[in-house]
Structures are given as C-alpha cells and as structure tokens.
Amino acid sequence: MLHVRNLTVRFGPVAAVDAVTLDVADGSVLALLGPSGCGKSTLLRAVAGIEPPVGGSVLWDDVDLARIPLHRRRFGLMFQDGVLFPHRTVAGNVGYGLRGRPDAPDRVAELLAMVGLAGYQDRRVVTLSGGEAQRVALARALAPRPLLLLLDEPLAALDRALRDQLLVDLKTVLAATGTTAIFVTHDQGEAFAVADRIALMRSGRIVQTGAPQQVWQAPRDAEAARFLGCGAVIPGWPEDVGGRCVTRTAVGAVPGRAEQVGLRPATLVVDPAGTIAATVLSAVPGPERQVLTVRIDARVAGGETAAHDAVLAETAFPAVAAAGSDLEVGQDIRLRFDPSQTARVGLPAARHASAERAAEPGAGSTPNPDPEPAADVVVAGAVTAGGRLLVARRTSPPDLAGKWELPGGKVDPGESETSALARELAEELGIVAEVGVRVGPAITLGTTPAGRPLELHAYRAEVRSGTASYSVHDSLRWVGPDDLGALDWVPADRQLVPELRRLLADIGASGGVGDVDALRDGEGRLGGAVTES
C-alpha cells in the first residue's frame, strides 16, 4: 500500500506540490484529476523518485522510500508518448525489464495477448499506430509485475475514438492483473472510467478525494464543481420537508442538503411544456445537442423570493436543446429543470479546501466568513435503507474493539458537517447517501490533544447507491428498532439509541437483524429489498 505524507516539491519559491497526503490501497486505481499546471504530474514524478521533494515522505507498506532510487522501487512508469525504443522489436520493448529471465518470452506473449496485440512480437515499433504503440508501452510497464504503476496522461495524444477504446482495455487489464496504479489526467471522462477513487488536485493541493460518483455528485466547492462540468453554481436553501431534506434554488429543488448547487448543461433542457421562461444568450450547435447559455426571465411555477430574483438577474445559465433545434440569440424559449443533472456543492467558494483557511476580508464571495466552530466534530450517519439502520462493529482501539457504532468520521477544517459525512460514507463504505437532518443532541466525546472540545453529531443518511466495503470495520449489520437495545454499543453512540429507535419507528422499520448482503441487489449495490435472516 502506498502512503504519501505531507509531500512538498518546490521549484524556487513555487510549491508545485504543497503538503499532499494520500493513500492508495493495494489493487486499487487512484486518478489524480486536475487542470494543467496543478501539480499532478510533479506529484507522480515525486512518488516515482524522479523529482526530489523538499519535505514529507513516500512510503510503501510503511517503508520510507527516501533513500531508495527509482530503479529499485519496483514502480512501473507509462508516459503520454510511450517512449518506446525504436531500434527494438515489440517483443524487445515489452521484455526490456525481463532481460535474462527464462520466462521472458512467455510473459511477453501473455501481456501482448492481454493488450490485444497477440502475435506482434516481431513487429518493428516504427510500424505501429499510435494506439498500438501505447498498448506496447502498457505491456512493457506491466511486464516486471510492478508494485505500483504510474501513468502520466497516457492517452492524451490519441484521438477520441481510440482513447475511449483504450480506456476500456486499460481498465480491464489493470483489474485482471490486480495492479495498484495512479492515473494522472486532466480529463474527467478518463478519470471516472478507469479509477476506483478520485483525488481532485488544484494549485499543488488535494482538495477532495472520494469514490468517482461521490465526487461527481458532491464536489467539495464551487471551483471543483465548475471543473467537473457545472456551467453555473448557485445558492441553495436547505429545508426539512416531511422529515426529508431538500435544497431549494432559484430554478428548482434538489434532494438532500447543499449550500450551493451546481448546474450541468443538461440540468436545463429546452421543452415547450417547461415552466421556466428564458432568453437565449448564446447558441453553439453540435452533432448530438445544441449547447446554450440563457438568461432566465421568470418562473411560471414555484415560490419566487427576492433572493431567487437576485440569482436569476445575476446568472447566465447553461442549457441544452436537441440537435437541429437551430435556436438563435435573443429567441424566447421554455425550459424544464432536471434535478438528476445537478451537483450538491458542500462549501461556499471562498472557503475551498485548497487553502483550508478563512477567506480574507473582501477577498471572495463570503465577506463575513463563519467564525471558528466552538468544538471539533466527529460526524456519524444514521444510514437507512429499506426501513433499517446500518451499524458497524469496530476493530480498534482495544477497549472499543467488538463494539457497535454508527459509521462516520472526522470533519476536516473548513468542511461542512454534511459534506464530511457524505465523504466518509463514500470513502469508508463505498456508498452514496443522501444526508439529511440532525438526529439527537450533540454528544461530548472529550477533548482533542490541542485542548478543544470534541463532539459527536449524528445525521440521518439514506442510501442511494454503492457497495459496502469492510476496510475499517469487521462487520456491517442492518437492524430494526427492536434490535438496538441488544447491541453492545460504543458509549457515545449508545446515547443516541432512543433517537434512533424513534427514527426507525417514524419510517416504518421492521424488526429482525440482517446481514448487509440482504440489502444488495443482484449486482451488489445497496438499497434493495429487505429479507429476513
């Protein structure tokens, strides 16, 4: 397993990589995603041992690699241009790292078949197409069975159709070989197609990590949302409606809690029956759809407020129309709102995690940043699906091992509690959940090493998708209200049992303890029908 701790790389006064910390589990693929110049390739080169850091550490299975040179780290490298040896055959390139090994011919043949180039051993590399050359480069990088494969924009020079095919092949090969990998890209589609986890990078820092779907649905801040394709980010006003949290915006409501809502191009769709009146500001035709920028004039339906009116007056909204619509600038149109094409943005833009410090007065869209909270907070999720509650059994520390708790984790500096819980559930359990209202009072846990109070805050969270993993806990169980009292809870969570029992009673839960698999569908996703165990 790879551990990067507070890694810093400087070029003169510029911190190209600024105190980065991340982990890559064995057999997983992490995508470093970010715009050009954000430091992702420099971070990759520092992990490889090519770029010397000025601070921090790179560890493999807890062994510090600071004094281990590149050629002894057993890390494979694959770059954008492949860097093949032109004077060698395909077999000579793939087998370069296997020289002197008796199994080299068999290993070369195995890998060429795996990347779709069976029988290419004697081909000269100068006769290969761009896609074939990158397949050879991938086979060469995998030949010595590296502990970690580092891929730096390996598909950037290829055309779209070939890139899409190689993405599928790359994902298949990495899964088949069980290779641990870091994949650097500026392309969202590549990252989401290949990776198990995304680390979003900006200005030398990791600003968000999580499962691809969680990052896509809940960007950390407005800048991240815009990078992930949201053409507009507008304020949201969370409300509790019938025990469920919804966030209202100037153009429609979305499920769940968000401080801001990101609108992707397909959030607003031209529809003669739509309830939103708008005027076209710009129109770009395309083979599949016409991409628009619009000014929204008024809502025909919905409760308009002065705050909504201000958003409508200040924002140019993205929208789409069917291909061949031939809409023109100045044309009046009707739009419908599709909440499934929105992103719930957790933090105001002026408090993004790339800095993790309060905005200076007048330096952003938040002139009066929130004061420092009175206590550090651990968030816990009252996660429900099918009318039952998800509980997890701890493995450490020794005094808590074997006891049950609600899943969750620590709130990072500058992070909202609901965003922190959504992130923790995605990272810890691999599930996407809709985080709603608070459950029960704050529970005092003690004090931090810095002497600050530490509290536990629980929130209702309803499973939407995902598969559960057991990386932190040794068991996950779904329980009904009658089972809560029988569990051996950690002391803090036991205080929430009365509130949890009322919560399950309110949503019509049934009794009986069941394994987490009872709430998976045929493809392993959570949220299916309940079965008794």
PDB file of all heavy atoms in Angstrom, residues 434-460:
ATOM      1  N   GLU A 434     -27.851  10.169   0.766  1.00  0.00           N
ATOM      2  CA  GLU A 434     -28.444  11.495   0.880  1.00  0.00           C
ATOM      3  C   GLU A 434     -28.452  11.881   2.352  1.00  0.00           C
ATOM      4  O   GLU A 434     -29.163  11.290   3.163  1.00  0.00           O
ATOM      5  CB  GLU A 434     -29.863  11.491   0.326  1.00  0.00           C
ATOM      6  CG  GLU A 434     -30.568  12.833   0.451  1.00  0.00           C
ATOM      7  CD  GLU A 434     -31.998  12.760  -0.043  1.00  0.00           C
ATOM      8  OE1 GLU A 434     -32.247  12.043  -1.029  1.00  0.00           O
ATOM      9  OE2 GLU A 434     -32.858  13.411   0.574  1.00  0.00           O
ATOM     10  N   VAL A 435     -27.623  12.860   2.705  1.00  0.00           N
ATOM     11  CA  VAL A 435     -27.500  13.290   4.097  1.00  0.00           C
ATOM     12  C   VAL A 435     -28.572  14.313   4.394  1.00  0.00           C
ATOM     13  O   VAL A 435     -28.725  15.297   3.665  1.00  0.00           O
ATOM     14  CB  VAL A 435     -26.102  13.861   4.382  1.00  0.00           C
ATOM     15  CG1 VAL A 435     -25.995  14.332   5.826  1.00  0.00           C
ATOM     16  CG2 VAL A 435     -25.037  12.810   4.086  1.00  0.00           C
ATOM     17  N   GLY A 436     -29.320  14.081   5.477  1.00  0.00           N
ATOM     18  CA  GLY A 436     -30.445  14.941   5.802  1.00  0.00           C
ATOM     19  C   GLY A 436     -30.282  15.676   7.111  1.00  0.00           C
ATOM     20  O   GLY A 436     -29.242  16.274   7.390  1.00  0.00           O
ATOM     21  N   VAL A 437     -31.297  15.597   7.967  1.00  0.00           N
ATOM     22  CA  VAL A 437     -31.374  16.411   9.174  1.00  0.00           C
ATOM     23  C   VAL A 437     -30.605  15.764  10.326  1.00  0.00           C
ATOM     24  O   VAL A 437     -30.301  14.578  10.314  1.00  0.00           O
ATOM     25  CB  VAL A 437     -32.847  16.620   9.578  1.00  0.00           C
ATOM     26  CG1 VAL A 437     -33.571  17.403   8.504  1.00  0.00           C
ATOM     27  CG2 VAL A 437     -33.538  15.284   9.805  1.00  0.00           C
ATOM     28  N   ARG A 438     -30.299  16.579  11.339  1.00  0.00           N
ATOM     29  CA  ARG A 438     -29.621  16.094  12.543  1.00  0.00           C
ATOM     30  C   ARG A 438     -30.508  15.112  13.294  1.00  0.00           C
ATOM     31  O   ARG A 438     -31.733  15.241  13.323  1.00  0.00           O
ATOM     32  CB  ARG A 438     -29.269  17.257  13.455  1.00  0.00           C
ATOM     33  CG  ARG A 438     -27.995  17.986  13.114  1.00  0.00           C
ATOM     34  CD  ARG A 438     -26.744  17.306  13.662  1.00  0.00           C
ATOM     35  NE  ARG A 438     -26.716  17.305  15.106  1.00  0.00           N
ATOM     36  CZ  ARG A 438     -26.238  18.298  15.854  1.00  0.00           C
ATOM     37  NH1 ARG A 438     -25.758  19.371  15.276  1.00  0.00           N
ATOM     38  NH2 ARG A 438     -26.219  18.209  17.170  1.00  0.00           N
ATOM     39  N   VAL A 439     -29.867  14.157  13.938  1.00  0.00           N
ATOM     40  CA  VAL A 439     -30.550  13.169  14.767  1.00  0.00           C
ATOM     41  C   VAL A 439     -29.990  13.267  16.175  1.00  0.00           C
ATOM     42  O   VAL A 439     -28.808  13.000  16.402  1.00  0.00           O
ATOM     43  CB  VAL A 439     -30.344  11.737  14.227  1.00  0.00           C
ATOM     44  CG1 VAL A 439     -30.973  10.717  15.173  1.00  0.00           C
ATOM     45  CG2 VAL A 439     -30.908  11.602  12.828  1.00  0.00           C
ATOM     46  N   GLY A 440     -30.836  13.667  17.126  1.00  0.00           N
ATOM     47  CA  GLY A 440     -30.415  13.706  18.513  1.00  0.00           C
ATOM     48  C   GLY A 440     -29.511  14.877  18.841  1.00  0.00           C
ATOM     49  O   GLY A 440     -29.126  15.668  17.975  1.00  0.00           O
ATOM     50  N   PRO A 441     -29.104  14.989  20.104  1.00  0.00           N
ATOM     51  CA  PRO A 441     -28.262  16.100  20.543  1.00  0.00           C
ATOM     52  C   PRO A 441     -26.789  15.839  20.243  1.00  0.00           C
ATOM     53  O   PRO A 441     -26.392  14.738  19.863  1.00  0.00           O
ATOM     54  CB  PRO A 441     -28.504  16.113  22.059  1.00  0.00           C
ATOM     55  CG  PRO A 441     -28.720  14.664  22.388  1.00  0.00           C
ATOM     56  CD  PRO A 441     -29.479  14.088  21.211  1.00  0.00           C
ATOM     57  N   ALA A 442     -25.981  16.872  20.420  1.00  0.00           N
ATOM     58  CA  ALA A 442     -24.533  16.699  20.343  1.00  0.00           C
ATOM     59  C   ALA A 442     -24.066  15.864  21.532  1.00  0.00           C
ATOM     60  O   ALA A 442     -24.513  16.060  22.667  1.00  0.00           O
ATOM     61  CB  ALA A 442     -23.843  18.056  20.348  1.00  0.00           C
ATOM     62  N   ILE A 443     -23.157  14.924  21.284  1.00  0.00           N
ATOM     63  CA  ILE A 443     -22.621  14.056  22.320  1.00  0.00           C
ATOM     64  C   ILE A 443     -21.180  14.456  22.589  1.00  0.00           C
ATOM     65  O   ILE A 443     -20.357  14.501  21.669  1.00  0.00           O
ATOM     66  CB  ILE A 443     -22.678  12.569  21.909  1.00  0.00           C
ATOM     67  CG1 ILE A 443     -24.089  12.177  21.487  1.00  0.00           C
ATOM     68  CG2 ILE A 443     -22.163  11.689  23.029  1.00  0.00           C
ATOM     69  CD1 ILE A 443     -25.116  12.287  22.581  1.00  0.00           C
ATOM     70  N   THR A 444     -20.841  14.753  23.841  1.00  0.00           N
ATOM     71  CA  THR A 444     -19.482  15.129  24.196  1.00  0.00           C
ATOM     72  C   THR A 444     -18.590  13.893  24.236  1.00  0.00           C
ATOM     73  O   THR A 444     -18.885  12.924  24.937  1.00  0.00           O
ATOM     74  CB  THR A 444     -19.450  15.836  25.555  1.00  0.00           C
ATOM     75  OG1 THR A 444     -20.263  17.025  25.480  1.00  0.00           O
ATOM     76  CG2 THR A 444     -18.034  16.230  25.923  1.00  0.00           C
ATOM     77  N   LEU A 445     -17.496  13.941  23.475  1.00  0.00           N
ATOM     78  CA  LEU A 445     -16.560  12.810  23.421  1.00  0.00           C
ATOM     79  C   LEU A 445     -15.322  13.039  24.276  1.00  0.00           C
ATOM     80  O   LEU A 445     -14.615  12.095  24.603  1.00  0.00           O
ATOM     81  CB  LEU A 445     -16.123  12.564  21.975  1.00  0.00           C
ATOM     82  CG  LEU A 445     -17.237  12.206  20.980  1.00  0.00           C
ATOM     83  CD1 LEU A 445     -16.653  12.058  19.589  1.00  0.00           C
ATOM     84  CD2 LEU A 445     -17.930  10.930  21.407  1.00  0.00           C
ATOM     85  N   GLY A 446     -15.021  14.295  24.601  1.00  0.00           N
ATOM     86  CA  GLY A 446     -13.820  14.606  25.365  1.00  0.00           C
ATOM     87  C   GLY A 446     -13.164  15.836  24.789  1.00  0.00           C
ATOM     88  O   GLY A 446     -13.836  16.761  24.326  1.00  0.00           O
ATOM     89  N   THR A 447     -11.832  15.852  24.772  1.00  0.00           N
ATOM     90  CA  THR A 447     -11.073  16.966  24.233  1.00  0.00           C
ATOM     91  C   THR A 447     -10.003  16.442  23.284  1.00  0.00           C
ATOM     92  O   THR A 447      -9.547  15.297  23.386  1.00  0.00           O
ATOM     93  CB  THR A 447     -10.393  17.794  25.343  1.00  0.00           C
ATOM     94  OG1 THR A 447      -9.541  16.940  26.107  1.00  0.00           O
ATOM     95  CG2 THR A 447     -11.416  18.431  26.262  1.00  0.00           C
ATOM     96  N   THR A 448      -9.609  17.296  22.348  1.00  0.00           N
ATOM     97  CA  THR A 448      -8.543  16.956  21.406  1.00  0.00           C
ATOM     98  C   THR A 448      -7.190  17.166  22.080  1.00  0.00           C
ATOM     99  O   THR A 448      -7.106  17.798  23.144  1.00  0.00           O
ATOM    100  CB  THR A 448      -8.633  17.832  20.157  1.00  0.00           C
ATOM    101  OG1 THR A 448      -8.307  19.186  20.515  1.00  0.00           O
ATOM    102  CG2 THR A 448     -10.027  17.785  19.561  1.00  0.00           C
ATOM    103  N   PRO A 449      -6.091  16.675  21.457  1.00  0.00           N
ATOM    104  CA  PRO A 449      -4.760  16.949  22.025  1.00  0.00           C
ATOM    105  C   PRO A 449      -4.467  18.430  22.168  1.00  0.00           C
ATOM    106  O   PRO A 449      -3.663  18.834  23.008  1.00  0.00           O
ATOM    107  CB  PRO A 449      -3.811  16.284  21.010  1.00  0.00           C
ATOM    108  CG  PRO A 449      -4.619  15.170  20.420  1.00  0.00           C
ATOM    109  CD  PRO A 449      -6.018  15.708  20.337  1.00  0.00           C
ATOM    110  N   ALA A 450      -5.144  19.251  21.338  1.00  0.00           N
ATOM    111  CA  ALA A 450      -4.949  20.700  21.429  1.00  0.00           C
ATOM    112  C   ALA A 450      -5.817  21.334  22.513  1.00  0.00           C
ATOM    113  O   ALA A 450      -5.779  22.546  22.705  1.00  0.00           O
ATOM    114  CB  ALA A 450      -5.251  21.359  20.090  1.00  0.00           C
ATOM    115  N   GLY A 451      -6.615  20.523  23.208  1.00  0.00           N
ATOM    116  CA  GLY A 451      -7.435  21.026  24.292  1.00  0.00           C
ATOM    117  C   GLY A 451      -8.799  21.529  23.880  1.00  0.00           C
ATOM    118  O   GLY A 451      -9.529  22.089  24.705  1.00  0.00           O
ATOM    119  N   ARG A 452      -9.198  21.330  22.617  1.00  0.00           N
ATOM    120  CA  ARG A 452     -10.509  21.768  22.161  1.00  0.00           C
ATOM    121  C   ARG A 452     -11.550  20.700  22.454  1.00  0.00           C
ATOM    122  O   ARG A 452     -11.261  19.502  22.407  1.00  0.00           O
ATOM    123  CB  ARG A 452     -10.485  22.068  20.661  1.00  0.00           C
ATOM    124  CG  ARG A 452      -9.755  23.350  20.299  1.00  0.00           C
ATOM    125  CD  ARG A 452      -9.644  23.525  18.796  1.00  0.00           C
ATOM    126  NE  ARG A 452     -10.920  23.379  18.115  1.00  0.00           N
ATOM    127  CZ  ARG A 452     -11.865  24.315  18.064  1.00  0.00           C
ATOM    128  NH1 ARG A 452     -11.676  25.476  18.674  1.00  0.00           N
ATOM    129  NH2 ARG A 452     -12.985  24.108  17.400  1.00  0.00           N
ATOM    130  N   PRO A 453     -12.807  21.112  22.736  1.00  0.00           N
ATOM    131  CA  PRO A 453     -13.867  20.121  22.934  1.00  0.00           C
ATOM    132  C   PRO A 453     -14.077  19.293  21.667  1.00  0.00           C
ATOM    133  O   PRO A 453     -13.937  19.798  20.551  1.00  0.00           O
ATOM    134  CB  PRO A 453     -15.099  20.988  23.243  1.00  0.00           C
ATOM    135  CG  PRO A 453     -14.557  22.312  23.657  1.00  0.00           C
ATOM    136  CD  PRO A 453     -13.281  22.494  22.920  1.00  0.00           C
ATOM    137  N   LEU A 454     -14.439  18.028  21.842  1.00  0.00           N
ATOM    138  CA  LEU A 454     -14.705  17.137  20.719  1.00  0.00           C
ATOM    139  C   LEU A 454     -16.113  16.579  20.880  1.00  0.00           C
ATOM    140  O   LEU A 454     -16.451  16.025  21.935  1.00  0.00           O
ATOM    141  CB  LEU A 454     -13.690  15.995  20.679  1.00  0.00           C
ATOM    142  CG  LEU A 454     -13.819  15.008  19.510  1.00  0.00           C
ATOM    143  CD1 LEU A 454     -13.598  15.715  18.186  1.00  0.00           C
ATOM    144  CD2 LEU A 454     -12.836  13.850  19.678  1.00  0.00           C
ATOM    145  N   GLU A 455     -16.956  16.748  19.843  1.00  0.00           N
ATOM    146  CA  GLU A 455     -18.351  16.343  19.915  1.00  0.00           C
ATOM    147  C   GLU A 455     -18.708  15.390  18.782  1.00  0.00           C
ATOM    148  O   GLU A 455     -18.113  15.429  17.703  1.00  0.00           O
ATOM    149  CB  GLU A 455     -19.273  17.571  19.833  1.00  0.00           C
ATOM    150  CG  GLU A 455     -19.136  18.522  21.008  1.00  0.00           C
ATOM    151  CD  GLU A 455     -20.068  19.713  20.887  1.00  0.00           C
ATOM    152  OE1 GLU A 455     -20.669  19.913  19.815  1.00  0.00           O
ATOM    153  OE2 GLU A 455     -20.177  20.468  21.873  1.00  0.00           O
ATOM    154  N   LEU A 456     -19.717  14.555  19.028  1.00  0.00           N
ATOM    155  CA  LEU A 456     -20.287  13.674  18.019  1.00  0.00           C
ATOM    156  C   LEU A 456     -21.631  14.240  17.592  1.00  0.00           C
ATOM    157  O   LEU A 456     -22.509  14.479  18.417  1.00  0.00           O
ATOM    158  CB  LEU A 456     -20.483  12.263  18.584  1.00  0.00           C
ATOM    159  CG  LEU A 456     -21.217  11.274  17.678  1.00  0.00           C
ATOM    160  CD1 LEU A 456     -20.356  10.902  16.483  1.00  0.00           C
ATOM    161  CD2 LEU A 456     -21.613  10.011  18.452  1.00  0.00           C
ATOM    162  N   HIS A 457     -21.798  14.480  16.275  1.00  0.00           N
ATOM    163  CA  HIS A 457     -23.060  14.939  15.711  1.00  0.00           C
ATOM    164  C   HIS A 457     -23.558  13.887  14.731  1.00  0.00           C
ATOM    165  O   HIS A 457     -22.823  13.497  13.814  1.00  0.00           O
ATOM    166  CB  HIS A 457     -22.888  16.276  14.971  1.00  0.00           C
ATOM    167  CG  HIS A 457     -22.471  17.409  15.841  1.00  0.00           C
ATOM    168  ND1 HIS A 457     -22.215  18.677  15.351  1.00  0.00           N
ATOM    169  CD2 HIS A 457     -22.277  17.490  17.185  1.00  0.00           C
ATOM    170  CE1 HIS A 457     -21.867  19.469  16.346  1.00  0.00           C
ATOM    171  NE2 HIS A 457     -21.885  18.774  17.470  1.00  0.00           N
ATOM    172  N   ALA A 458     -24.778  13.411  14.911  1.00  0.00           N
ATOM    173  CA  ALA A 458     -25.346  12.381  14.043  1.00  0.00           C
ATOM    174  C   ALA A 458     -26.352  13.005  13.082  1.00  0.00           C
ATOM    175  O   ALA A 458     -27.091  13.934  13.439  1.00  0.00           O
ATOM    176  CB  ALA A 458     -26.020  11.292  14.874  1.00  0.00           C
ATOM    177  N   TYR A 459     -26.378  12.482  11.852  1.00  0.00           N
ATOM    178  CA  TYR A 459     -27.297  12.941  10.819  1.00  0.00           C
ATOM    179  C   TYR A 459     -27.981  11.742  10.182  1.00  0.00           C
ATOM    180  O   TYR A 459     -27.381  10.669  10.040  1.00  0.00           O
ATOM    181  CB  TYR A 459     -26.566  13.718   9.715  1.00  0.00           C
ATOM    182  CG  TYR A 459     -26.082  15.083  10.113  1.00  0.00           C
ATOM    183  CD1 TYR A 459     -24.882  15.235  10.788  1.00  0.00           C
ATOM    184  CD2 TYR A 459     -26.826  16.213   9.822  1.00  0.00           C
ATOM    185  CE1 TYR A 459     -24.425  16.487  11.160  1.00  0.00           C
ATOM    186  CE2 TYR A 459     -26.382  17.475  10.180  1.00  0.00           C
ATOM    187  CZ  TYR A 459     -25.173  17.613  10.851  1.00  0.00           C
ATOM    188  OH  TYR A 459     -24.725  18.852  11.215  1.00  0.00           O
ATOM    189  N   ARG A 460     -29.218  11.939   9.779  1.00  0.00           N
ATOM    190  CA  ARG A 460     -29.883  10.908   9.003  1.00  0.00           C
ATOM    191  C   ARG A 460     -29.257  10.857   7.605  1.00  0.00           C
ATOM    192  O   ARG A 460     -28.951  11.892   7.002  1.00  0.00           O
ATOM    193  CB  ARG A 460     -31.372  11.208   8.881  1.00  0.00           C
ATOM    194  CG  ARG A 460     -32.118  10.146   8.074  1.00  0.00           C
ATOM    195  CD  ARG A 460     -33.600  10.410   8.006  1.00  0.00           C
ATOM    196  NE  ARG A 460     -34.250   9.441   7.129  1.00  0.00           N
ATOM    197  CZ  ARG A 460     -35.542   9.445   6.843  1.00  0.00           C
ATOM    198  NH1 ARG A 460     -36.326  10.369   7.373  1.00  0.00           N
ATOM    199  NH2 ARG A 460     -36.053   8.531   6.042  1.00  0.00           N
TER     200      ARG A 460
END
